[in-house]
Amino acid sequence: MRTLKTTLLIIMALCLMPDLLQGQEKKTQAFWIHEDVVKPSMVDDYEAICKDLTANMKKHNIQEVNVIVSNTIDDRYMWVSPISSMADIEKPIFATLAEKMGGTAMADLFNKMDKCYDIEQNYIIHLDEELSYMPDGLTLTPEGEPYRKFHYFHYTPGDRAAVKEKVEAIKKMFEGKGSKLHYRVYKSGFGTRGEFYMVAVAAKDAADYAAKISSNNAMLGDEWQKLYNEFRSSLSKYEQFEAIMRPDMAYSPSQ
């Protein structure tokens, strides 16, 4: 699809912050998500193309590009980059790689990638530091924890204030009890379908995640179950997805 060549290049070229906590005063950070819904039969081809692209960026040490990637078990690949404003997506900053690769080499890669999916999506979500619970420091990629569980809590505009109040109450409870279950909270933004909070929980693997949930539920007890049920009752829809971080497809330039 033609839009991939422009959109994905733009998304990958938006630089990830070295560390969200270093000198950060803002309480939210906008992220542009480019999501490829890959055909099951084309997963291997898609990943091979992406790794080829990453290899070329490493070979030429492209300074303009820095991106992290995750993929869900239903074969959606999400390319994640922060933006300071909508103007960031208009910067023509991927020309260096095309020049370094020469001829039509880069375009050829994306032409092959076009065949791997029929659907791609682009939207913005906002990481909310004040609603997130990461007492050891806010990071997108906790060391040694590549597994992700993404929880989507959808709500109607009329329930926006009530839902946020419950999200705040949950964090307060976790802080007060010293919970070991850490999480990041993202809010829906431009281009998303409806309003939601997305809560991302990291773990070593699915078993480690299940153990964390079980331990947290036992520690917080009935008080937590009551609060969580009240929170769920204010929602219009709930979804959850398993995912894994893909450092083999991500890229950070050498200095």
Side-chain angles (χ1 to χ4, degrees), residues 88-188:
D88 286 344
I89 66 175
E90 299 178 358
K91 296 177 181 178
I93 52 178
F94 216 78
T96 302
L97 181 59
E99 179 183 349
K100 294 289 186 180
M101 291 181 67
T104 63
M106 189 181 73
D108 292 342
L109 281 179
F110 283 98
N111 283 334
K112 290 190 293 184
M113 193 182 293
D114 284 346
K115 301 175 183 178
C116 296
Y117 56 86
D118 295 326
I119 300 172
E120 59 179 354
Q121 305 175 80
N122 298 280
Y123 49 91
I124 293 172
I125 59 176
H126 302 267
L127 174 62
D128 193 313
E129 179 183 342
E130 293 187 326
L131 296 179
S132 298
Y133 176 67
M134 297 197 76
D136 295 336
L138 187 62
T139 176
L140 303 182
T141 54
E143 186 175 356
E145 297 187 324
Y147 179 85
R148 294 290 183 276
K149 184 65 76 72
F150 297 139
H151 301 266
Y152 288 80
F153 301 99
H154 300 261
Y155 55 89
T156 63
D159 290 325
R160 186 183 299 130
V163 171
K164 183 177 182 181
E165 181 180 331
K166 292 295 189 298
V167 175
E168 292 171 336
I170 289 172
K171 179 179 180 180
K172 183 177 180 180
M173 176 180 288
F174 274 50
E175 288 178 329
K177 300 287 187 178
S179 173
K180 301 301 182 182
L181 182 66
H182 302 172
Y183 60 83
R184 296 183 309 282
V185 176
Y186 300 81
K187 190 179 183 304
S188 53

